Amino acid sequence: MPEQTLKKAGFMTESTSLTSSFPIDVRAYPDRQAMGRAAAAAIAEDLRARLARQSRVRMVFAAAPSQAEMLEALVAEPGIDWQRIRAFHMDEYIGLDAQAPQRFGLWLQRHLFDRLPFGAVRIIDPGNDPSSAALAYAAELAAEPIDVVCLGIGVNGHLAFNDPPVADLADAQDVKIVELDGACRRQQVDDGCFAQLDQVPSHALTLTLPRLLRSDRMYCVVPGAAKREAVRRSLRDPIGTACPATALRLHPRVVLFLDPDSAP
């Protein structure tokens, strides 16, 4: 990917390059619960500091079982004025019933949004016109800077639903329709979200890589043995869409939280 193209996408400066990427702050913990508590504590500390110096905070959350321990601990963190925080999420299936429990917006409502007094929560709703929904959601995201992104890494190295076949480091869109690859759809079954592969939707709306990387800070929580190779590739492979999570190294403020199973 040409460096000038990455700079035009808005997340690469004259001082960064594909050969001199930023180091990721990698933190490993003795078990999954300790990982979740540590990630939540770091995120909470960041939020308190931001709220002390700015009127509100805008956050993006991933919806996945890998985030459950962190979210559970984050709900219990004291001293955060959640009414001054506006929340978004990063992807949603297309074609699922509005009340399907697998919908990411509903998952986050159960685990987070309904448990804290957020000032505002904006759920992605593809509806009958996903293209228009993508444009509307992108406009809301672009209204003000995104301060914090809480995310994971997929078994195929995806960030959000930017799978290797569709990931684009210089994507001109902020939110787009994507076709999910086989490894990504299989992960949804292996995670227990769907009983069988043919139940997993083939398409989704997702925030793109440039949109995610334009945030001020990223907290990446990645537990489990199934993610170990994706973590290794994220840290060691050349930056590119063969492993989209390598793009994390283009961001100057990423913290990666691992458990013993995911740590390479």
Side-chain angles (χ1 to χ4, degrees):
M1 181 66 64
E3 293 184 12
Q4 62 269 28
T5 306
L6 293 171
K7 290 169 184 171
K8 286 179 65 178
F11 61 85
M12 185 175 176
T13 70
E14 294 297 330
S15 62
T16 63
S17 73
L18 295 183
T19 56
S20 59
S21 58
F22 296 102
I24 293 177
D25 180 355
V26 182
R27 307 178 188 181
Y29 296 88
D31 56 59
R32 188 163 173 153
Q33 288 69 35
M35 175 209 66
R37 290 192 300 270
I43 295 165
E45 181 180 12
D46 188 344
L47 293 177
R48 295 186 198 104
R50 290 178 190 275
L51 290 169
R53 65 178 185 264
Q54 61 194 66
S55 61
R56 57 184 172 180
V57 169
R58 285 160 47 98
M59 300 182 67
V60 176
F61 291 94
S66 64
Q67 308 300 297
E69 290 81 8
M70 179 274 287
L71 294 177
E72 185 68 26
L74 186 61
V75 167
E77 281 285 339
I80 300 172
D81 185 357
W82 292 101
Q83 293 184 348
R84 293 163 56 200
I85 297 178
R86 183 176 179 88
F88 300 84
H89 66 118
M90 60 182 56
D91 44 21
E92 186 58 270
Y93 295 114
I94 294 173
L96 280 184
D97 182 81
Q99 298 305 313
Q102 296 94 340
R103 283 183 66 125
F104 291 140
L106 295 180
W107 190 93
L108 279 169
Q109 284 182 326
R110 294 193 300 271
H111 286 81
L112 182 66
F113 297 152
D114 288 347
R115 302 174 66 187
L116 293 169
F118 281 91
V121 173
R122 179 68 172 93
I123 298 295
I124 300 173
D125 181 9
N128 295 320
D129 188 355
S131 295
S132 294
L135 290 172
Y137 206 74
E140 291 199 42
L141 288 165
E144 296 179 61
I146 297 297
D147 298 291
V148 176
V149 168
C150 301
L151 75 165
I153 295 174
V155 294
N156 62 355
H158 71 217
L159 299 180
F161 269 146
N162 295 284
D163 292 329
V166 299
D168 184 351
L169 287 167
D171 208 312
Q173 301 177 80
D174 282 355
V175 183
K176 70 177 181 180
I177 298 171
V178 293
E179 182 174 1
L180 308 182
D181 80 355
C184 175
R185 296 178 72 226
R186 169 53 59 184
Q187 179 183 330
Q188 311 312 313
V189 177
D190 294 341
D191 283 348
C193 301
F194 294 87
Q196 53 195 50
L197 189 62
D198 61 7
Q199 296 175 345
V200 183
S202 60
H203 290 75
L205 285 180
T206 186
L207 274 63
T208 61
L209 294 177
R211 174 66 270 184
L212 293 169
L213 291 166
R214 290 203 303 274
S215 60
D216 185 65
R217 195 168 182 92
M218 306 182 83
Y219 295 93
C220 193
V221 179
V222 190
K227 306 289 184 69
R228 181 187 293 240
E229 177 61 11
V231 170
R232 185 199 66 76
R233 294 186 65 197
S234 301
L235 297 172
R236 300 299 183 191
D237 279 13
I239 295 173
T241 56
C243 179
T246 56
L248 292 171
R249 286 157 36 208
L250 294 171
H251 195 287
R253 289 175 295 278
V254 176
V255 186
L256 176 61
F257 296 87
L258 306 174
D259 71 356
D261 293 328
S262 62

